[in-house]
Amino acid sequence: MATGPRLQRRTWRAAVARGAVLIVGFVCMVAFAVVLARATLVPSPASVRLTHTNLHPGDSIRAYLTQPHWRDAVKQIGGNVLLGLPFGVLLPVLFPRTRGLLRVVLMTAFVMLTVEAAQGLLVTGRAFDIDDVILNSLGSFAGYLLLGRRLGRALHPRRHHWWQRRPADADADAEASADSPPDPGGPKPRLPAILRAVRKPAP
């Protein structure tokens, strides 16, 4: 009987379903890229006098919160958080190597830093704002926890870190222990798999 997530099973139905999910994710990523470009890279000459560069984390957020109308604060803060939400959902689906909360947040921050730099240098009526990057990264954090983590685990096998023992290593150790005679001096502590690989002589 097959075990594990359904989308990772080696059946044609699972392969078709996995391919469909990846295609939908790719289409959503393209659509999101278009929306992101329109929201951040379209010139706004009327806003030249209103924009200013912000390199101090928290300054723009405090300015948003002190606006007389709370709807303006929700629009500014919520809009930036929502803009980062798709990163947390789509990155683990389309790019398995970016799975993990820290990797998703760092990748989002890198992309949005690039976008903000382009705004400040190339786009009329736009300015670099570090608080936008922070809010975008917060959105990716929420998106990953809400949906991205679950989708990534459903589509792709779990990653094994270098400090973790793989199932094949555990089976090999069990077979070696069963074949070797008992040690009269008692069991000796075993080295981690990574250290055993280093100490193993080359053939």
Side-chain angles (χ1 to χ4, degrees):
M1 183 176 179
T3 59
R6 293 183 178 180
L7 292 178
Q8 295 181 26
R9 296 176 183 175
R10 295 185 177 181
T11 63
W12 68 269
R13 291 183 179 180
V16 171
R18 187 166 57 249
V21 172
L22 291 174
I23 291 173
V24 171
F26 178 77
V27 172
C28 291
M29 179 62 83
V30 172
F32 170 63
V34 173
V35 173
L36 179 64
R38 290 184 175 181
T40 58
L41 300 178
V42 174
S44 179
S47 303
V48 172
R49 297 182 179 180
L50 303 176
T51 57
H52 62 280
T53 300
N54 173 35
L55 300 176
H56 302 284
D59 283 1
S60 294
I61 295 177
R62 284 191 292 269
Y64 297 151
L65 295 175
T66 56
Q67 291 182 358
H69 300 289
W70 63 270
R71 291 183 180 179
D72 294 334
V74 171
K75 181 180 178 181
Q76 294 288 346
I77 296 177
N80 279 300
V81 171
L82 288 177
L83 199 61
L85 200 67
F87 283 103
V89 176
L90 296 175
L91 285 177
V93 172
L94 297 176
F95 307 100
R97 290 184 178 274
T98 63
R99 284 184 299 164
L101 182 59
L102 182 60
R103 292 188 180 192
V104 168
V105 172
L106 289 177
M107 180 62 69
T108 303
F110 173 76
V111 172
M112 296 314 299
L113 276 171
T114 304
V115 172
E116 289 291 325
Q119 281 186 326
L121 296 174
L122 304 175
V123 185
T124 304
R126 306 281 184 176
F128 180 92
D129 194 332
I130 191 62
D131 282 345
D132 289 350
V133 178
I134 294 173
L135 293 173
N136 297 149
S137 301
L138 182 61
S140 71
F141 177 90
Y144 181 78
L145 292 182
L146 290 174
L147 192 57
R149 180 172 179 265
R150 190 174 304 174
L151 288 176
R153 286 190 172 185
L155 283 170
H156 308 291
R158 297 189 65 177
R159 290 187 295 112
H160 290 277
H161 301 283
W162 63 268
W163 64 83
Q164 294 175 328
R165 298 182 65 188
R166 296 178 180 270
D169 295 336
D171 295 340
D173 292 343
E175 292 178 1
S177 299
D179 295 338
S180 60
D183 187 356
K188 297 180 179 179
R190 299 188 63 83
L191 294 173
I194 184 66
L195 295 181
R196 293 202 305 274
V198 172
R199 293 187 58 181
K200 184 178 180 180

